[in-house]
Amino acid sequence: MRLATDKFIRRFLLHVLPDGFHRIRHYGLLASAGRKTKVAKIRALLGAETAKQDGPPSAEAIPP
């Protein structure tokens, strides 16, 4: 696809964030840093049951 120079620059600049902005994909409640503690706190505040952390299912529990 060929684009005029001004259209290419316009489309390229749509992906550039202004100064002071951060991409949000590495932030938030489910970011890998502290995910377990944040989810546990959210569940406690909502009064939800904590998730059971069972190991992988054993071969005996899976029917043939």
Side-chain angles (χ1 to χ4, degrees):
M1 172 195 239
R2 292 181 186 249
L3 294 173
T5 305
D6 59 333
K7 286 190 178 190
F8 172 78
I9 292 173
R10 184 184 61 81
R11 289 185 183 192
F12 179 79
L13 290 177
L14 288 174
H15 301 284
V16 176
L17 293 175
D19 289 338
F21 284 78
H22 296 277
R23 295 198 186 279
I24 60 171
R25 65 178 163 209
H26 300 295
Y27 297 94
L29 297 174
L30 298 178
S32 62
R35 179 186 306 156
K36 290 181 183 178
T37 57
K38 290 176 190 174
V39 171
K41 185 174 182 178
I42 292 168
R43 285 191 175 132
L45 291 172
L46 292 174
E49 294 181 18
T50 58
K52 296 179 181 178
Q53 296 182 356
D54 294 333
S58 63
E60 299 165 356
I62 300 173

